[in-house]
Amino acid sequence: MTRLVMKFGGTSMADLERIRRAARIVAAEAKAGKRVAVVVSAMAGKTNELVAWTDGAGAPAAGIPLSDDEYDVVVASGEQVTSGLLALTLRNMGFRARSMMGWQVPILTDDAHGKARIEDIPGDQLSGVLDGGEIVVIPGFQGVTRDGRITTLGRGGSDTSAVAVAAALDCPCDIYTDVDGVYTTDPRIESRARRLSRVSYEEMLEMASLGAKVLQTRSVELAMARRVPVRVLSSFVEPDENGNLPAAVGTLICDEEEIVEKRIVSGVTMSRDEARITLLGLSDRTDAPADVFTRLAEANVNVDMIVQSQSRTEGAVNLTFTTGRRDAARAAELMREAQDQIGFEQLRIDEDVAKVSVVGVGMRSHAGVAQTMFRALADKGVKFQAISTSEIKISVLIDAAYAELAVRALHAAYGLEAV
Amino acid sequence: MTRLVMKFGGTSMADLERIRRAARIVAAEAKAGKRVAVVVSAMAGKTNELVAWTDGAGAPAAGIPLSDDEYDVVVASGEQVTSGLLALTLRNMGFRARSMMGWQVPILTDDAHGKARIEDIPGDQLSGVLDGGEIVVIPGFQGVTRDGRITTLGRGGSDTSAVAVAAALDCPCDIYTDVDGVYTTDPRIESRARRLSRVSYEEMLEMASLGAKVLQTRSVELAMARRVPVRVLSSFVEPDENGNLPAAVGTLICDEEEIVEKRIVSGVTMSRDEARITLLGLSDRTDAPADVFTRLAEANVNVDMIVQSQSRTEGAVNLTFTTGRRDAARAAELMREAQDQIGFEQLRIDEDVAKVSVVGVGMRSHAGVAQTMFRALADKGVKFQAISTSEIKISVLIDAAYAELAVRALHAAYGLEAV
């Protein structure tokens, strides 16, 4: 029999009424003859409450080892509650169902508490329960170390749990969420945005890391590595009077080869989570940039775009780079602390920037993609301050005030309203 | 090094401030050189919320096996949260601490989900962690079956968890609660009630089952069977500026042999959770009472007191018995359904009754205890409707209106204000 993993997020588990709606969707797939494993998040808001309690308990005193092991014990309880409640609701609807906690499956992780990585999911026991005809409900976000301690995967980790369970069961994964798929761009910015029926893993990975918040980046990486077909579907569907789901719409995330009509550009993304730092009058010693980026790397600050330009000062350059906004203050402080060793005249920090990107696997084989982008931006008078590219994306850093304008201009320039 | 189990209830875990107070008490014992295992309840009110959610999820549909296994998954999460939070708080105060869930210790139970009984606690792993110098925090109320499913012990089961852990570690158990010990009677009824410094297991067992709500009956049974010394202490104490606890007061529950000055009567208890059912004009066939009590036993209705008296009807008797108030309606219905088979004329049910009892191991060797009781009640004009006795207690059923009066009269008659 066909197997299927279905995942429901926190808004789909927010109260008993929503849990019943999720249960009706699960029931429809079970009635259609599928062996279903469901992965669930905690009730919306619950994880924040639990995290706040652990914060309130305070940090370990001097001499006590720092570990997030007990944070994990507290925070993992939210998904335990919803998985039990969904199993009970399914029984109420006439299905045999049971929960399996992370330690029962088991979902084996490393011991990096609070941000653990899944290492292995031995599928035997889970398969046995599924083949016995029971629907299995698994709490997302949680796992267990090999020596039996509870772990969590970091915020948003339930998507990753779902894909990992699907990989273990060698089956597809349906992610039910509050949007009905992946769009060419954010429909709140461009009303002509269209839902993509298919998108490749590579494109989705770029979109996820560039600010499209449909899926966790890690879950897409894992789906790509294990070749798990992932569908993004709306949890606001309702089975008909016979308990059947409407024909699946949503977006399938799959291998590039399974996408027959390849688009040059699939989507336009925008992120405001950027900050630009410029070191003016940096010594033109050849090792000065290396010094800068080594210091940042050692402090775990990720740098995205880098631009070097001539300075007005003789024998000096200006070095501009971008970081996540959260890291910007720390990056600036690191630079100022080492101003003499690095050797620069002045530091400027600008958070009023946005990164706009176009993503598409078709770029690999089509010239002129960058040209179209730059012309579209120039036509609207949008100047860009930095550029970065990969094989399948081009990003530009612009003044934040122009972000939405740029998204709409690019969406039109690549004809995405007609996808 | 000396070991100690400490137990804190839901009001002591109600919020972070109370958890910090409990942590200071634990810290004082750890600083005094004890190896401490702490057993905790869920935050006050949390278990009710979780139970309400499972109720809201509904009962299994026809054909789906009835089991409280998923109820246990949901409800056990409350203690998981507080045990993690207490461990974090202890670390914040400079102590090495960790939680161990029911499945990690493990606390092995039977598979009677929702009301499981502890079968075994292999103490090796727990002892190892304690001997390594860590304070261990264990969620009360929860356990695990031998095939790895989460169980709960039934409401109030955390006392039982604590005593069972103490038995496994072969050490005493301190129960911190919102009263500072066991009293000769309820101080809200008789202000001259005195705290007992020691009480025997047998007396405590009678008092617990007769309505003194300090400890769960099951936990006292277990303490008696395994000879675990249990102290009941107030959680409202505060260590001094050096982190030392005030000299222990409270009540020690121990072997009768350890109580040097034996009292004839240790306490007076009162319960309103009673109902009286009378079958008037019951056939005087010798097997008629057996017929009645067999039907009640088969429906799991516990009967406490039984009185048979002459009926006005020739060849008939009146049979009076008492049940818990919750069971009374069902008991009456069972009787009425079988009225013809049993053979009685009329049924009367009266919930306006109370059971007042005196308890004391000294009764075994002292005559005149019952006489003192009956005289004291008669002096106040209190009539009794039924009597039951055990080796160490005498209970009378009276009109509920006289309950407090009777308690005060008996408290004075046995001189308990001077204990």
Side-chain angles (χ1 to χ4, degrees):
Chain A
M1 270 168 106
T2 327
R3 291 171 173 175
L4 178 65
V5 171
M6 306 173 75
K7 185 255 169 181
F8 293 89
T11 47
S12 307
M13 292 285 124
D15 54 41
L16 289 173
E17 190 40 62
R18 310 247 190 136
I19 291 174
R20 272 191 284 272
R21 187 172 64 188
R24 289 193 291 273
I25 298 173
V26 173
E29 295 287 12
K31 266 191 58 183
K34 293 193 181 134
R35 302 265 192 239
V36 182
V38 191
V39 174
V40 296
S41 299
M43 289 180 176
K46 181 42 94 175
T47 303
N48 288 339
E49 181 187 54
L50 294 167
V51 169
W53 284 341
T54 64
D55 287 346
I64 304 301
L66 253 178
S67 167
D68 279 331
D69 51 355
E70 296 298 332
Y71 164 95
D72 284 350
V73 168
V74 174
V75 175
S77 68
E79 283 75 10
Q80 177 165 333
V81 170
T82 47
S83 46
L85 290 176
L86 180 57
L88 286 170
T89 305
L90 286 164
R91 289 179 182 175
N92 179 251
M93 293 167 62
F95 294 85
R96 289 176 53 227
R98 65 159 288 193
S99 65
M100 289 178 82
M101 299 298 106
W103 55 272
Q104 289 169 325
V105 173
I107 296 177
L108 294 170
T109 73
D110 61 20
D111 61 358
H113 287 283
K115 48 180 189 301
R117 295 191 78 87
I118 297 175
E119 290 185 340
D120 188 26
I121 302 181
D124 293 2
Q125 209 179 330
L126 178 56
S127 297
V129 179
L130 288 172
D131 291 343
E134 281 188 281
I135 298 170
V136 177
V137 187
I138 299 169
F141 176 62
Q142 66 170 239
V144 67
T145 63
R146 280 171 207 276
D147 58 350
R149 301 234 48 196
I150 295 171
T151 53
T152 65
L153 309 183
R155 295 306 290 269
S158 289
D159 288 343
T160 308
S161 301
V163 172
V165 170
L169 293 173
D170 195 19
C171 75
C173 179
D174 286 355
I175 308 267
Y176 282 85
T177 175
D178 48 6
V179 296
D180 70 343
V182 180
Y183 276 70
T184 51
T185 195
D186 186 338
R188 287 168 301 183
I189 296 175
E190 171 53 270
S191 60
R192 278 170 289 188
R194 298 280 297 270
R195 187 173 46 74
L196 295 161
S197 58
R198 294 187 173 213
V199 66
S200 72
Y201 295 119
E202 290 83 353
E203 287 169 322
M204 191 64 222
L205 202 52
E206 289 286 1
M207 289 192 200
S209 58
L210 292 172
K213 285 173 184 138
V214 180
L215 284 180
Q216 271 293 107
T217 306
R218 277 168 66 187
S219 69
V220 183
E221 284 171 354
L222 184 62
M224 181 161 80
R226 303 287 298 266
R227 292 297 183 246
V228 175
V230 174
R231 280 196 308 171
V232 175
L233 295 161
S234 168
S235 62
F236 293 93
V237 297
E238 192 62 68
D240 64 21
E241 64 271 23
N242 300 315
N244 299 317
L245 286 174
V249 282
T251 298
L252 179 68
I253 302 159
C254 60
D255 257 348
E256 201 178 318
E257 287 70 47
E258 291 174 54
I259 302 176
V260 182
E261 278 202 76
K262 291 186 180 54
R263 296 168 301 272
I264 299 175
V265 165
S266 292
V268 181
T269 67
M270 191 263 282
S271 161
R272 290 190 191 277
D273 181 35
E274 312 290 324
R276 182 182 61 152
I277 292 173
T278 302
L279 304 180
L280 295 162
L282 178 71
S283 154
D284 68 352
R285 285 183 295 117
T286 48
D287 63 345
D291 188 11
V292 167
F293 297 119
T294 304
R295 288 173 193 274
L296 294 169
E298 280 170 357
N300 269 320
V301 173
N302 284 324
V303 169
D304 180 16
M305 299 168 160
I306 300 172
V307 180
Q308 188 171 308
S309 58
Q310 275 313 112
S311 165
R312 293 185 189 182
T313 308
E314 186 80 20
V317 295
N318 296 336
L319 182 69
T320 298
F321 57 87
T322 64
T323 69
R325 193 169 292 192
R326 206 176 23 181
D327 288 334
R330 198 151 52 98
E333 196 188 327
L334 283 169
M335 294 297 102
R336 287 195 181 108
E337 280 170 6
Q339 182 162 5
D340 292 342
Q341 296 100 300
I342 297 170
F344 64 88
E345 291 169 3
Q346 202 185 335
L347 180 146
R348 277 194 202 143
I349 182 164
D350 184 1
E351 298 197 339
D352 224 13
V353 292
K355 181 164 71 172
V356 174
S357 312
V358 296
V359 176
V361 285
M363 286 187 201
R364 288 201 190 103
S365 47
H366 283 75
V369 176
Q371 194 187 343
T372 302
M373 183 175 198
F374 300 145
R375 179 163 304 149
L377 294 175
D379 284 352
K380 298 289 181 189
V382 180
K383 290 182 189 144
F384 47 85
Q385 305 163 355
I387 302 171
S388 69
T389 62
S390 79
E391 210 184 353
I392 65 164
K393 76 125 207 259
I394 309 176
S395 300
V396 294
L397 193 75
I398 63 173
D399 184 331
Y402 292 88
E404 286 84 1
L405 174 68
V407 166
R408 286 190 289 264
L410 294 172
H411 199 266
Y414 293 102
L416 291 175
E417 74 283 357
V419 166
Chain B
M1 268 167 108
T2 325
R3 290 171 174 174
L4 178 66
V5 171
M6 306 173 74
K7 186 256 170 182
F8 292 89
T11 47
S12 307
M13 291 284 124
D15 53 41
L16 289 173
E17 190 39 61
R18 309 245 191 135
I19 291 174
R20 272 190 284 271
R21 187 172 62 189
R24 288 192 291 271
I25 298 173
V26 173
E29 295 287 12
K31 264 189 62 184
K34 292 191 183 138
R35 301 269 192 237
V36 182
V38 191
V39 174
V40 295
S41 298
M43 289 178 177
K46 179 44 90 175
T47 303
N48 287 338
E49 180 188 52
L50 294 167
V51 169
W53 283 341
T54 66
D55 287 345
I64 304 301
L66 254 177
S67 168
D68 279 330
D69 50 355
E70 296 299 333
Y71 165 95
D72 285 350
V73 169
V74 174
V75 175
S77 68
E79 283 76 10
Q80 177 165 333
V81 170
T82 47
S83 47
L85 289 176
L86 181 56
L88 286 171
T89 305
L90 286 164
R91 288 179 183 176
N92 179 251
M93 292 167 61
F95 293 85
R96 288 175 56 224
R98 65 158 289 190
S99 66
M100 289 178 82
M101 299 298 106
W103 54 271
Q104 289 170 325
V105 173
I107 295 175
L108 294 170
T109 73
D110 62 20
D111 61 358
H113 287 283
K115 48 180 189 302
R117 293 192 79 88
I118 297 174
E119 290 185 338
D120 188 26
I121 301 181
D124 293 1
Q125 209 179 331
L126 178 56
S127 296
V129 178
L130 288 172
D131 291 343
E134 280 188 282
I135 298 169
V136 178
V137 187
I138 299 170
F141 177 60
Q142 66 171 241
V144 67
T145 63
R146 281 172 207 275
D147 58 351
R149 299 234 49 196
I150 294 170
T151 53
T152 65
L153 309 183
R155 295 304 292 269
S158 290
D159 289 343
T160 308
S161 302
V163 172
V165 170
L169 293 172
D170 193 21
C171 74
C173 179
D174 285 356
I175 307 267
Y176 282 86
T177 177
D178 48 5
V179 296
D180 70 344
V182 180
Y183 276 71
T184 50
T185 195
D186 186 339
R188 287 165 304 183
I189 297 175
E190 172 52 272
S191 60
R192 277 171 291 188
R194 298 280 295 268
R195 186 172 48 74
L196 295 162
S197 59
R198 293 186 175 214
V199 66
S200 73
Y201 295 118
E202 290 82 353
E203 287 169 321
M204 191 66 223
L205 201 53
E206 289 289 359
M207 290 193 199
S209 59
L210 291 172
K213 284 174 185 137
V214 180
L215 285 180
Q216 272 292 108
T217 306
R218 278 167 66 188
S219 69
V220 184
E221 285 171 354
L222 184 62
M224 181 162 77
R226 303 289 298 269
R227 291 295 183 249
V228 175
V230 174
R231 280 196 308 172
V232 175
L233 295 161
S234 167
S235 62
F236 293 92
V237 297
E238 192 62 67
D240 64 20
E241 62 271 23
N242 300 316
N244 299 317
L245 286 174
V249 283
T251 298
L252 178 68
I253 303 159
C254 59
D255 256 350
E256 200 177 319
E257 287 70 46
E258 294 172 53
I259 301 176
V260 181
E261 278 202 76
K262 290 188 180 49
R263 297 168 299 271
I264 299 174
V265 165
S266 292
V268 181
T269 67
M270 190 263 281
S271 163
R272 288 188 192 281
D273 180 35
E274 313 290 323
R276 182 181 62 153
I277 293 173
T278 302
L279 303 181
L280 295 161
L282 179 69
S283 152
D284 68 354
R285 287 183 292 119
T286 47
D287 62 347
D291 189 10
V292 166
F293 297 119
T294 304
R295 288 174 194 273
L296 292 169
E298 280 170 356
N300 269 320
V301 173
N302 284 325
V303 169
D304 179 18
M305 298 167 161
I306 300 172
V307 181
Q308 188 171 306
S309 57
Q310 275 311 114
S311 165
R312 293 183 188 181
T313 310
E314 185 83 20
V317 296
N318 297 335
L319 183 69
T320 298
F321 57 86
T322 64
T323 69
R325 193 169 292 192
R326 209 174 22 180
D327 288 334
R330 199 151 51 96
E333 195 189 326
L334 282 168
M335 295 298 100
R336 289 197 179 105
E337 280 170 5
Q339 182 161 7
D340 291 345
Q341 296 101 300
I342 298 170
F344 63 88
E345 290 168 5
Q346 201 186 334
L347 180 146
R348 277 195 202 142
I349 182 164
D350 184 3
E351 299 197 338
D352 225 14
V353 292
K355 182 164 72 171
V356 175
S357 312
V358 296
V359 176
V361 286
M363 287 186 200
R364 289 202 190 102
S365 48
H366 283 75
V369 177
Q371 194 185 341
T372 304
M373 184 175 198
F374 301 145
R375 179 162 304 148
L377 292 175
D379 285 350
K380 299 288 182 190
V382 181
K383 290 181 189 146
F384 48 86
Q385 305 163 357
I387 303 171
S388 69
T389 61
S390 79
E391 209 182 353
I392 65 164
K393 74 129 207 253
I394 308 174
S395 300
V396 294
L397 193 74
I398 62 173
D399 184 330
Y402 293 87
E404 286 83 2
L405 174 67
V407 167
R408 286 189 288 263
L410 294 172
H411 198 265
Y414 292 103
L416 291 176
E417 74 283 357
V419 166

